[in-house]
Amino acid sequence: MEQNHKQDEQSDLYAGFSTAYKSFATEAIHIGQEPEQWKSMAVVPPISLSTTFKQIGPGDHAGYEYSRSGNPTRNCLEKAVAALDGAKYCIAVASGLAATVTITHMLKTGDGIVCMDDVYGGTNRYFQRIAAEVGLKVSFADCTKPELLKAALKANTKLVWIETPTNPTMKVVDIKACSEVAHEYNKDIVVVVDNTFMSAYFQRPLASGADICMYSATKYMNGHSDVVMGLASMNRDDLYERLKYLQNALGCVPSPFDCFLCNRGLKTLHLRMERHFKNGMAAAKFLEADPRVERVIFPGLPSHPQHEVVKRQCTGCPGMITFYIKGELKHASAFLSNLKLFAIAESLGGYESLAEHPAIMTHASVPENERAVLGISDTLIRLSVGLEDEEDIIEDLRQALDAAHPKIK
């Protein structure tokens, strides 16, 4: 009886969403992990710490020369991620921002980038304060409206950068519509989707027309808050050859140990994301019903402005929630300071629940006037809902709201 109830809950949670990707868990566990590639027949890929590899003769090697150029442990991870993204290729780099920098290095002085207006603060900072200063022409557009993206495209536009859902205001972009707009304007424009929030389990940007799917794997893809890493997947041979060259030439590669940990994290990605969705939905519904909360932004709720887009292009939702608490900065601070289960910390996507204040923490580098336009106000709070028991998560949110607004129940 209890099992049937859980199955009914699961069906209701995923009602209307796209069908889950076939054999996702099987591919996460087996692709790139074949024991036959090792003389030892190890079931778990070993950590190859060697920086250099013996050659049979000068220039005659067994696939590896120097660990920056290629590493067996990294190779296992890249094959697995490519499979989960429905891609031919993947490169792993030292961080999400390293992926952003590596991709942007495909451009030259004078080339244009159109970026989603609401993005991770580090992405905004890199484009505005570094890329723009070395001669790239950067502009921002609200890509939730494809017509605004179309209006922003110019003859020199070479890269369209989409983040969906966005960080921190959880806007959702129609990847297919925006990819079509960009490619109709110029087939050579490279459309990049930052898929960090959704992970490969809930969204496949390449299947919707994007050219590159990238991640801060630090978040959900690794899922244990113990690795800093970036990933980029693609199907086009030319993009892979260029990015593989840049991966080696720029040198921002991850360590074999981090590759091992992230590869291990992928094995439970499907289980973790399902629990994140369940807990996230429960927390979002609780907050939306609470009189001390002004507004909740969670893509899984019907109240989300792009809820229909989410259901069309995703197979579920992560545990990311943004909400506005009623009052002012002191109320947001009181809420955060009184959390007991949630830790006040940057980052997201780990098994533990985290909470943060974007205007003061992750998006402090975004100019204040831009934060105001985007809605990153003093009362905005971002939650990364973890894998704890649902009732404990709800209770922690309740008692923190009680502390922030003791006179409103």
Side-chain angles (χ1 to χ4, degrees), residues 249-305:
L250 294 175
C252 48
V253 294
S255 75
F257 186 69
D258 283 353
C259 291
F260 169 83
L261 287 176
C262 188
N263 189 34
R264 183 182 65 170
L266 294 179
K267 309 306 177 245
T268 58
L269 180 61
H270 58 292
L271 299 172
R272 291 187 284 106
M273 296 312 294
E274 288 173 1
R275 181 63 173 251
H276 281 301
F277 186 16
K278 177 179 177 291
N279 284 352
M281 180 65 85
K285 286 181 174 178
F286 166 77
L287 290 168
E288 192 167 55
D290 195 287
R292 296 162 292 192
V293 173
E294 192 74 49
R295 181 187 173 207
V296 176
I297 311 172
F298 179 68
L301 290 174
S303 58
H304 190 282

Side-chain angles (χ1 to χ4, degrees), residues 30-305:
H30 293 288
I31 298 295
Q33 321 299 301
E34 298 80 4
E36 291 76 16
Q37 65 188 300
W38 319 109
K39 284 187 178 180
S40 66
M41 298 286 276
V43 173
V44 176
I47 305 171
S48 181
L49 295 176
S50 182
T51 58
T52 190
F53 302 86
K54 182 179 178 180
Q55 300 192 14
I56 300 160
D60 181 12
H61 56 79
Y64 300 97
E65 305 166 81
Y66 184 61
S67 205
R68 170 169 41 79
S69 306
N71 177 276
T73 312
R74 190 169 84 220
N75 189 47
C76 292
L77 170 65
E78 290 173 339
K79 284 182 177 179
V81 174
L84 300 185
D85 278 330
K88 288 172 66 176
Y89 310 108
C90 173
I91 65 163
V93 290
S95 68
L97 274 172
T100 304
V101 171
T102 302
I103 292 166
T104 306
H105 261 73
M106 293 193 298
L107 308 184
K108 63 182 186 301
T109 301
D111 286 346
I113 300 170
V114 178
C115 180
M116 176 65 187
D117 62 350
D118 179 38
V119 288
Y120 164 55
T123 304
N124 182 296
R125 179 179 56 215
Y126 170 70
F127 283 147
Q128 292 212 62
R129 300 188 186 180
I130 299 176
E133 289 183 3
V134 296
L136 296 176
K137 308 301 180 184
V138 182
S139 61
F140 294 84
D142 182 357
C143 296
T144 61
K145 301 177 178 66
E147 65 274 14
L148 296 183
L149 169 61
K150 185 175 182 179
L153 298 173
K154 298 177 182 176
N156 70 336
T157 302
K158 303 297 182 186
L159 193 70
V160 169
W161 194 277
I162 294 168
E163 187 175 288
T164 181
T166 64
N167 183 1
T169 62
M170 303 299 291
K171 293 180 182 178
V172 173
V173 176
D174 187 328
I175 299 169
K176 184 173 186 291
C178 287
S179 297
E180 287 174 352
V181 165
H183 292 143
E184 283 173 11
Y185 185 88
N186 182 343
K187 64 180 177 58
D188 294 325
I189 290 175
V190 175
V191 177
V192 181
V193 173
D194 184 336
N195 202 34
T196 298
F197 271 27
M198 278 295 178
S199 86
Y201 186 66
F202 283 145
Q203 183 168 266
R204 283 185 172 172
L206 300 181
S208 295
D211 298 297
I212 298 174
C213 168
M214 66 79 63
Y215 302 91
S216 170
T218 310
K219 316 311 194 284
Y220 284 113
M221 294 293 274
N222 177 62
H224 292 75
S225 298
D226 53 10
V227 167
V228 174
M229 186 184 291
L231 299 164
S233 298
M234 69 291 307
N235 282 315
R236 283 172 45 183
D237 296 345
D238 61 327
L239 289 177
Y240 174 67
E241 291 303 323
R242 182 62 178 153
L243 289 170
K244 183 68 177 172
Y245 175 82
L246 289 169
Q247 178 193 39
N248 179 52
L250 294 175
C252 48
V253 294
S255 75
F257 186 69
D258 283 353
C259 291
F260 169 83
L261 287 176
C262 188
N263 189 34
R264 183 182 65 170
L266 294 179
K267 309 306 177 245
T268 58
L269 180 61
H270 58 292
L271 299 172
R272 291 187 284 106
M273 296 312 294
E274 288 173 1
R275 181 63 173 251
H276 281 301
F277 186 16
K278 177 179 177 291
N279 284 352
M281 180 65 85
K285 286 181 174 178
F286 166 77
L287 290 168
E288 192 167 55
D290 195 287
R292 296 162 292 192
V293 173
E294 192 74 49
R295 181 187 173 207
V296 176
I297 311 172
F298 179 68
L301 290 174
S303 58
H304 190 282

Side-chain angles (χ1 to χ4, degrees), residues 359-380:
I360 295 174
M361 296 169 67
T362 54
H363 289 70
S365 63
V366 178
E368 188 175 356
N369 62 318
E370 292 181 26
R371 291 203 305 266
V373 171
L374 293 170
I376 305 173
S377 71
D378 285 345
T379 59
L380 183 72

